[in-house]
Amino acid sequence: MQIHSSGEDYLEAILIIKNKKGYVRSIDVAGFMNYSKPSVSHAVSILRDGGFIDVDESGCLNLTESGKKIAETIYERHLFFKNKLMKAGVDEETAEKEACKIEHDISEDTFQKLKSFSADNE
């Protein structure tokens, strides 16, 4: 199943929340993303059906291996672009928003080349 950028955003949010709190509930995702609980519930169903997350008996969301791989990839890109934008003088709020857009649209090959180029020139 192919995942869209909105699904990637949910997976990334679950990863970030899990790293901060140790567990993730739908209400945590709703608060983090500033989305309604029904929107999150719908997304959770789609991600669960796609095999990207599991929901345990207590209602906690857990990334599957494939979901975790996607979340980590997107989060790495996000941090990379946010950092580069801020180093270029972009304010943090704008860098956060724009990194969120860039992270989804760039190919893996191009991202790896940018990372390599950046590391070589620092």
Side-chain angles (χ1 to χ4, degrees), residues 26-99:
S26 291
I27 194 73
D28 300 320
V29 176
F32 182 84
M33 298 181 78
N34 200 27
Y35 289 169
S36 70
K37 178 79 166 85
S39 294
V40 173
S41 294
H42 179 70
V44 164
S45 294
I46 291 170
L47 293 170
R48 185 183 58 233
D49 292 348
F52 300 109
I53 63 171
D54 292 318
V55 182
D56 67 22
E57 62 280 349
S58 64
C60 289
L61 310 178
N62 298 293
L63 297 168
T64 62
E65 284 303 313
S66 62
K68 186 175 182 180
K69 182 178 178 183
I70 292 167
E72 288 174 342
T73 297
I74 293 299
Y75 191 49
E76 176 189 18
R77 290 177 178 198
H78 183 91
L79 293 175
F80 175 84
F81 288 116
K82 180 181 174 185
N83 178 274
K84 296 302 175 197
L85 290 168
M86 289 175 62
K87 281 186 176 182
V90 176
D91 68 272
E92 185 173 2
E93 184 178 337
T94 303
E96 180 75 31
K97 289 176 185 174
E98 292 183 355

